[in-house]
Amino acid sequence: MKYLFLDTNIYIDMIVSRNSSHSADSYELLKMLLDHDQVKILVPAIIETEIKRHIASEVKNVGKLVQEARNSINKVYWINHVEEIRIYNEKIGPLKQTLGSMVDEFGRNEERYKNDAIQKITGLMQYRNVIRLEENSDLLLNVQKRKLYKLCPFHIEDKESWADAMIIETLINIRDFVNITDKDQIYFITRNHKDFSKGNSQTERTIIHPHIEEQLSQKNLLPIFNYRSLYTKTLIEDFAVEVTEANIYQQLMEEAEEERRAMIDSARDEWHAMERESAGLSSLSSDDAYIERIAESNEVEVLISTIESSISSLDAEIENTFDEYSQFESDLSAKPIEDLIERILAYNTQSPFLQISYKSTFSEEEVRDAVLEFVNDHLFRFEELESFLDSIKSKDYFEINELVSFRDLDDNIIRLSVIGQLDPRDDDTDSLWVELYKNGERISYGEIEIYYGYINFDEDGGAADGSDESISYRLGRVIDDIEKVVEERKDSVSLMKDDLNKLRTILDI
């Protein structure tokens, strides 16, 4: 029997089209292969859990990418010549409309996409010839030992790889779960060479990590163990008879060509990344390195610190104002009724236009209620203040997203957002915009400009020319403005407290 042991990323590629080497048919082709009873899949329970955990974020990321594409197309403009601008408008209009429709379509169906994906995975986990492996206490103990002895995948400093460790321990102890014979073959397929492979070079990433190899050998599993990184290529080369009998060979060949191209593109990108890194430049393979640098910069730390201190101060002022109101209620209840009535009458005499409702027939409770009604109608907007407090949302970290939002006492919606996207390219520039909005209108902004730098090498492998990468920050104005906007809202809250204290003085409470 041949057993497939697939890592989490292989399953996710079948569900989310993030890897061109896996077509939309990959999921069904795998089920067709299982139907012929010559192949079985071994699935540690942790992998099913990890897949379902990742699916939600992968589906959400699809929506984010479509939204970023629409935002980017909206920023495009053209040369302002009559004929040129006419042609531009004819071409750009349909693109904007299509991307807008895609954003709306995704928004309506995001939850369904996620549920459908989870159902597909659940269906596969329950399919014939799929063996689900539940962890036991011995396995959990072995994972703890791996952590203690810094065995792969805990050999990577400061990396918590509990799920990967569980996968490795399940693989090493597979005979505790399944009757594996010396005639069987196990194929472990993963693209996560950092955690499972010997090293990161093209050669070493195809070799299992020595820690795992040694333990497989101790369990007499090494002769029947096969380590692979390319899913489709493995099926075509190592399962040729089985895929032919399952009548899926041709479809897999088409996938394999895409897998080959993706591998070439990946190798090219990695080589280019090595060239850049040799010159001290960041890799262009991901925007993560740049986002991390931006988040750790002094300028952005000032921005986040300003947000935290301003919002914290606003929260405290609102809470303090509620406490003042609560204390006012308590003190009002304790005020002798005769003194209170005397003070009310004196106030009403001096203020003919804004009076506390009072009648001589009022009971003691009605008198006190009349004071509270006056406070709530004219001085203290209790429900609006509650809504204000509940609406305040802020982040204590930097990301391309909304950092601050709230609806103030005057029903204005305030938002501070980081807008834009990074598409790292040699000798090119991107910008992120930190924008402050009031009711959808931008009232202030700052810019973070990223220049990616470049390096060129001559025929002898020496550096011919190049330029350092750089990040420039123009955030002073927007930092001042968000602080000012929050302070103004804080003042409006303080005013309610001041008015309440004035009434305290008038009524001698």
Side-chain angles (χ1 to χ4, degrees):
M1 180 64 66
K2 290 182 178 179
Y3 293 94
L4 278 172
F5 197 109
L6 307 179
D7 195 9
T8 306
N9 47 51
I10 304 299
Y11 290 106
I12 293 177
D13 284 341
M14 294 181 189
I15 303 299
V16 183
S17 184
R18 61 182 187 176
N19 187 332
S20 62
S21 65
H22 281 201
S23 71
D25 295 330
S26 296
Y27 173 83
E28 296 300 334
L29 294 180
L30 181 58
K31 289 168 64 176
M32 290 172 66
L33 179 61
L34 294 173
D35 283 337
H36 278 255
D37 300 323
Q38 302 301 311
V39 178
K40 293 186 178 182
I41 295 181
L42 304 172
V43 184
I46 187 65
I47 285 185
E48 182 178 356
T49 301
E50 284 288 288
I51 296 168
K52 291 179 178 178
R53 183 172 67 86
H54 282 292
I55 278 176
S57 62
E58 288 292 342
V59 170
K60 186 172 288 295
N61 193 51
V62 171
K64 179 182 175 183
L65 292 173
V66 176
Q67 180 66 60
E68 288 176 351
R70 184 172 75 168
N71 292 341
S72 295
I73 205 72
N74 285 337
K75 293 180 180 179
V76 175
Y77 51 89
W78 205 249
I79 307 300
N80 200 13
H81 296 310
V82 174
E83 184 60 23
E84 290 284 349
I85 205 69
R86 183 188 64 78
I87 295 173
Y88 162 77
N89 287 332
E90 288 178 354
K91 292 180 178 180
I92 205 72
L95 283 175
K96 289 183 176 180
Q97 185 176 1
T98 299
L99 285 170
S101 297
M102 289 176 67
V103 170
D104 294 341
E105 181 77 12
F106 185 87
R108 288 192 299 269
N109 294 291
E110 179 178 358
E111 197 63 26
R112 178 172 64 83
Y113 293 150
K114 184 175 68 175
N115 291 336
D116 287 350
I118 291 175
Q119 286 178 11
K120 287 182 74 173
I121 287 299
T122 301
L124 182 59
M125 297 300 109
Q126 297 172 352
Y127 203 68
R128 62 185 298 176
N129 292 319
V130 174
I131 304 173
R132 192 174 184 276
L133 311 172
E134 292 282 355
E135 59 267 10
N136 53 35
S137 57
D138 289 339
L139 212 59
L140 294 171
L141 180 60
N142 288 336
V143 169
Q144 293 288 345
K145 287 181 178 179
R146 296 195 80 82
K147 173 68 172 177
L148 179 64
Y149 293 108
K150 297 188 182 302
L151 294 177
C152 170
F154 295 114
H155 62 295
I156 301 175
E157 196 70 28
D158 298 326
K159 189 169 188 288
E160 298 298 318
S161 303
W162 298 101
D164 289 335
M166 185 67 72
I167 291 170
I168 291 172
E169 285 299 330
T170 305
L171 181 61
I172 292 169
N173 296 283
I174 194 64
R175 284 199 169 105
D176 293 345
F177 302 92
V178 182
N179 183 23
I180 302 291
T181 72
D182 293 341
K183 294 181 180 180
D184 296 328
Q185 290 290 310
I186 299 173
Y187 295 83
F188 177 41
I189 308 177
T190 179
R191 290 192 290 102
N192 182 9
H193 60 270
K194 290 183 179 179
D195 286 327
F196 295 109
S197 296
K198 181 179 180 180
N200 291 325
S201 70
Q202 286 297 117
T203 301
E204 289 184 335
R205 68 176 51 186
T206 62
I207 303 172
I208 195 73
H209 193 279
H211 293 167
I212 306 175
E213 182 180 31
E214 180 181 355
Q215 291 176 300
L216 287 171
S217 179
Q218 291 171 355
K219 297 284 186 173
N220 198 30
L221 287 170
L222 202 56
I224 64 171
F225 175 76
N226 305 274
Y227 184 54
R228 302 287 188 266
S229 60
L230 298 177
Y231 169 74
T232 308
K233 185 173 184 287
T234 300
L235 292 188
I236 290 174
E237 294 182 355
D238 296 303
F239 293 75
V241 174
E242 291 81 7
V243 299
T244 300
E245 291 178 354
N247 199 29
I248 59 173
Y249 184 82
Q250 186 58 40
Q251 295 99 313
L252 288 174
M253 284 296 292
E254 293 171 3
E255 279 197 9
E257 178 59 22
E258 290 295 332
E259 193 173 59
R260 185 186 68 82
R261 292 173 184 169
M263 184 175 63
I264 292 172
D265 290 342
S266 176
R268 187 182 294 115
D269 290 342
E270 289 184 8
W271 178 255
H272 184 53
M274 290 172 59
E275 288 185 331
R276 284 180 58 89
E277 289 170 7
S278 70
L281 301 175
S282 301
S283 170
L284 298 178
S285 61
S286 170
D287 61 3
D288 291 344
Y290 292 98
I291 295 295
E292 185 175 345
R293 282 177 57 189
I294 290 168
E296 294 175 351
S297 68
N298 291 334
E299 293 84 353
V300 168
E301 285 185 355
V302 170
L303 170 66
I304 298 301
S305 175
T306 300
I307 290 172
E308 285 189 278
S309 61
S310 297
I311 295 299
S312 176
S313 178
L314 176 60
D315 283 342
E317 185 66 23
I318 295 175
E319 293 288 359
N320 183 253
T321 303
F322 278 127
D323 290 343
E324 287 282 349
Y325 181 87
S326 179
Q327 188 62 49
F328 179 86
E329 282 187 306
S330 177
D331 294 343
L332 175 64
S333 297
K335 175 78 174 174
I337 192 65
E338 295 82 3
D339 292 348
L340 181 59
I341 292 172
E342 182 181 343
R343 290 283 180 169
I344 290 173
L345 292 174
Y347 168 76
N348 286 346
T349 300
Q350 297 172 9
S351 178
F353 299 107
L354 190 62
Q355 299 199 332
I356 299 172
S357 176
Y358 169 74
K359 293 180 182 179
S360 59
T361 57
F362 276 4
S363 65
E364 179 176 334
E365 183 179 356
E366 287 174 328
V367 172
R368 300 186 197 281
D369 286 345
V371 175
L372 286 179
E373 184 178 350
F374 177 82
V375 170
N376 292 329
D377 286 347
H378 303 292
L379 305 180
F380 199 99
R381 297 142 67 183
F382 192 93
E383 291 184 359
E384 293 173 33
L385 192 59
E386 266 191 331
S387 297
F388 184 12
L389 181 61
D390 290 341
S391 76
I392 297 174
K393 303 289 186 298
S394 69
K395 292 187 172 72
D396 59 359
Y397 56 90
F398 179 86
E399 67 172 2
I400 302 176
N401 210 328
E402 192 171 82
L403 300 182
V404 177
S405 70
F406 57 79
R407 184 186 293 270
D408 68 16
L409 290 170
D410 296 319
D411 214 29
N412 296 307
I413 298 175
I414 305 298
R415 287 194 175 93
L416 181 72
S417 300
V418 180
I419 296 171
Q421 68 180 92
L422 302 186
D423 182 18
R425 306 167 305 282
D426 275 326
D427 196 26
D428 213 334
T429 301
D430 281 322
S431 288
L432 298 178
W433 302 92
V434 183
E435 300 185 335
L436 180 61
Y437 286 88
K438 177 180 177 181
N439 298 329
E441 178 182 354
R442 191 175 74 174
I443 59 175
S444 183
Y445 67 92
E447 182 185 11
I448 302 171
E449 187 180 82
I450 303 93
Y451 172 64
Y452 299 109
Y454 73 96
I455 183 69
N456 289 326
F457 292 90
D458 57 29
E459 294 179 355
D460 298 325
D465 68 321
S467 178
D468 285 339
E469 59 190 357
S470 63
I471 304 177
S472 59
Y473 302 85
R474 290 178 284 278
L475 300 177
R477 176 183 169 189
V478 75
I479 290 174
D480 290 343
D481 288 344
I482 184 61
E483 188 173 31
K484 179 181 177 183
V485 165
V486 174
E487 190 64 29
E488 288 172 351
R489 273 65 192 173
K490 182 180 171 184
D491 289 343
S492 68
V493 175
S494 297
L495 183 60
M496 294 168 60
K497 185 170 60 175
D498 292 343
D499 288 342
L500 191 61
N501 286 328
K502 289 177 183 177
L503 186 63
R504 271 182 173 276
T505 301
I506 291 170
L507 300 180
D508 191 27
I509 294 178

